[in-house]
Amino acid sequence: MNPETSGAKRAATCLEADVAVIGGGVVGHGIAWEARRSGRSVVLIDEAPGSGASWAAAGMLAPVSELHYQEEGLLELMLESSARWPEFAATLTAGEDTGYRTTPTLAVGADPADRRALLDLRDVQRTHGLGVEPLTIREARSREPLLSPGISCALDIPADHQVDPRRLIRAIAAGLARHGQEIAAADGYAVREHAAGLLWDGGRVCGARLAGGGTVRAAETVVANGLAAAQLQNLPAGLQLPLRPVYGDILRLRVPAHLQPLLTATVRGMVRGVPVYIVPRQDGTVVVGATQREDGVPGTSAGGVYQLLRDAQVLLPAVAELELLEATARARPGTPDNAPLLGRVPASGPGAVQDRGTDVAGLIIATGFFRHGVLLTPAAAVICRQLMDGTRDPRWSAFRPGRFSPGLQDTGEPALLESAAGRSPTPG
């Protein structure tokens, strides 16, 4: 290693900023972008940004389709974030295409049992005021001619859209680089190292310690590194982050010229009770996904690939003519209630502020987004920025990260400790 490279590396691992974001997935990038737009300097810490669950994600922005039984508590947050997506995407349009598209979603069933299941879910969706309208098979096939004539039902969901997570991360990275700041990190904002643990100073979190021995000191530290969050050293006393890996297999296929466009809308189907989706991209590819398994096997499942191709062909027979480009598997971070761990941590235990009703200063948790990380990115970014500003929205109290930690004194509405990085937000 030459002296210049060695010196640059030493400088890059001893940094200071207003905000340190641990985790370089879609959520971490979104939080970093919102913090930077508010006038704060930012360092994002990740040894391989964008290579985790975000790399595999299909990018469906589907608050209606993603409403699941016994997860209705997530609906308000999903709708809030969905409403923020147009503005969020618009902040990233300078020279970069995020793949954000407002094309609708079609829900289709393969057989009568699938039809009953989708219509039962539609009743729940409509109870919550969500727009889901039935289509005849003829109407569905007039919109998407390559759908199988044998499908049992079709539903129109105009509010469910899509974005390309890989393009999105590149666009945010370019935006952070354009915003320029006096930080000696890669592209002016990133440290490509693994975060080993949190730094503390006088009862508050003051940054992160890097696995290579360096540090990033910051007035606010956001833990957004998915499953790895629970393995960070020096987390607040008593804090439990019960994250589990939920693996998903996902395929990317190229559509030959004579079949383009294969689809104009995202198709979310149910085939013999098993969900499958097909997401068209403007570059002539489609994404087919995703299995959901908790078998602990990180690699792509041969059975999962077979299942996805089989079920996608039931709904869209032309899938058999596509070129398989990529089969990917990643673990999504799930929680016991499948809702995110999002917010500040109630103070408790040695090394933390002891006054009842206060939070650990300088620390925000943003992990456990499971299936919804891409959809919830704009809302998570705004919630984190509001917390940095010293305010909080009581609507999101149910997602506080201390809810699975019996030893923490979470009174529900703690007084926030003023952030040393607090500033009046400015438009980006």
Side-chain angles (χ1 to χ4, degrees):
M1 180 180 296
N2 65 52
E4 290 184 7
T5 303
S6 177
K9 183 176 181 180
R10 285 194 299 272
T13 54
C14 296
L15 304 176
E16 293 186 9
D18 294 325
V19 180
V21 179
I22 302 174
V26 169
V27 172
H29 271 83
I31 293 168
W33 177 239
E34 181 71 16
R36 189 71 191 98
R37 291 181 66 236
S38 73
R40 297 169 168 91
S41 58
V42 177
V43 170
L44 184 142
I45 305 167
D46 194 306
E47 58 188 347
S51 65
S54 300
W55 179 254
M60 292 179 294
L61 310 177
V64 180
S65 302
E66 284 290 338
L67 176 62
H68 285 66
Y69 297 111
Q70 299 181 336
E71 293 183 19
E72 289 88 346
L74 263 175
L75 180 60
E76 185 177 8
L77 182 61
M78 291 195 296
L79 291 173
E80 170 80 11
S81 201
S82 180
R84 290 185 178 277
W85 255 102
E87 179 184 0
F88 180 75
T91 67
L92 297 165
T93 56
E96 295 288 337
D97 179 12
T98 63
Y100 175 62
R101 303 289 180 264
T102 57
T103 50
T105 292
L106 294 181
V108 299
D111 61 27
D114 297 324
R115 180 179 183 273
R116 287 193 297 272
L118 287 174
L119 292 179
D120 286 346
L121 180 58
R122 173 179 175 254
D123 290 340
V124 175
Q125 292 163 331
R126 296 192 71 178
T127 297
H128 289 279
L130 304 177
V132 182
E133 297 301 327
L135 298 172
T136 66
I137 305 305
R138 177 175 293 181
E139 288 171 333
R141 296 192 72 232
S142 69
R143 289 169 55 169
E144 302 294 349
L146 294 180
L147 281 174
S148 169
I151 60 175
S152 64
C153 69
L155 303 170
D156 182 27
I157 310 176
D160 284 0
H161 304 145
Q162 66 154 296
V163 71
D164 185 335
R166 297 180 182 182
R167 289 178 177 267
L168 175 63
I169 287 179
R170 288 198 297 267
I172 296 176
L176 288 166
R178 281 197 310 273
H179 266 59
Q181 55 187 42
E182 297 301 321
I183 299 291
D187 300 321
Y189 75 94
V191 171
R192 288 177 171 81
E193 289 193 50
H194 174 69
L198 301 179
L199 295 174
W200 290 76
D201 182 13
R204 66 174 295 134
V205 173
C206 63
R209 180 171 57 80
L210 306 177
T215 59
V216 177
R217 293 191 169 271
E220 292 282 7
T221 301
V222 183
V223 174
N225 56 337
L227 289 163
Q231 279 72 57
L232 282 173
Q233 298 172 8
N234 299 328
L235 288 170
L239 178 64
Q240 298 178 26
L241 300 178
L243 299 164
R244 73 186 195 280
V246 183
Y247 291 92
D249 305 299
I250 193 164
L251 312 177
R252 283 170 170 78
L253 304 99
R254 179 179 290 118
V255 182
H258 72 279
L259 289 176
Q260 293 187 21
L262 185 76
L263 292 169
T264 61
T266 296
V267 169
R268 295 182 67 112
M270 188 166 289
V271 181
R272 295 178 293 275
V274 178
V276 64
Y277 55 74
I278 309 166
V279 184
R281 301 284 197 228
Q282 283 199 325
D283 63 358
T285 64
V286 296
V287 179
V288 177
T291 62
Q292 186 168 302
R293 52 188 175 83
E294 301 188 40
D295 55 8
V297 179
T300 307
S301 162
V305 173
Y306 168 75
Q307 172 191 312
L308 291 174
L309 291 174
R310 177 198 64 196
D311 292 350
Q313 288 178 63
V314 169
L315 305 177
L316 200 71
V319 165
E321 300 183 49
L322 308 188
E323 177 189 356
L324 180 60
L325 298 176
E326 179 184 315
T328 308
R330 291 292 189 275
R332 296 158 289 190
T335 64
D337 57 8
N338 290 337
L341 304 171
L342 181 59
R344 293 198 185 269
V345 178
S348 177
V353 179
Q354 291 299 301
D355 293 335
R356 184 180 180 85
T358 59
D359 289 329
V360 174
L363 177 64
I364 299 171
I365 305 293
T367 187
F369 288 87
F370 192 25
R371 299 184 305 270
H372 312 298
V374 179
L375 168 62
L376 294 180
T377 290
V382 168
I383 290 168
C384 290
R385 191 258 300 156
Q386 289 173 339
L387 291 172
M388 294 175 199
D389 291 341
T391 62
R392 70 190 299 266
D393 190 329
R395 291 181 296 168
W396 318 130
S397 295
F399 307 118
R400 280 172 58 82
R403 67 183 184 274
F404 299 111
S405 306
L408 296 184
Q409 298 176 354
D410 193 339
T411 61
E413 294 293 334
L416 288 177
L417 302 182
E418 184 177 357
S419 165
R423 300 182 181 179
S424 297
T426 56

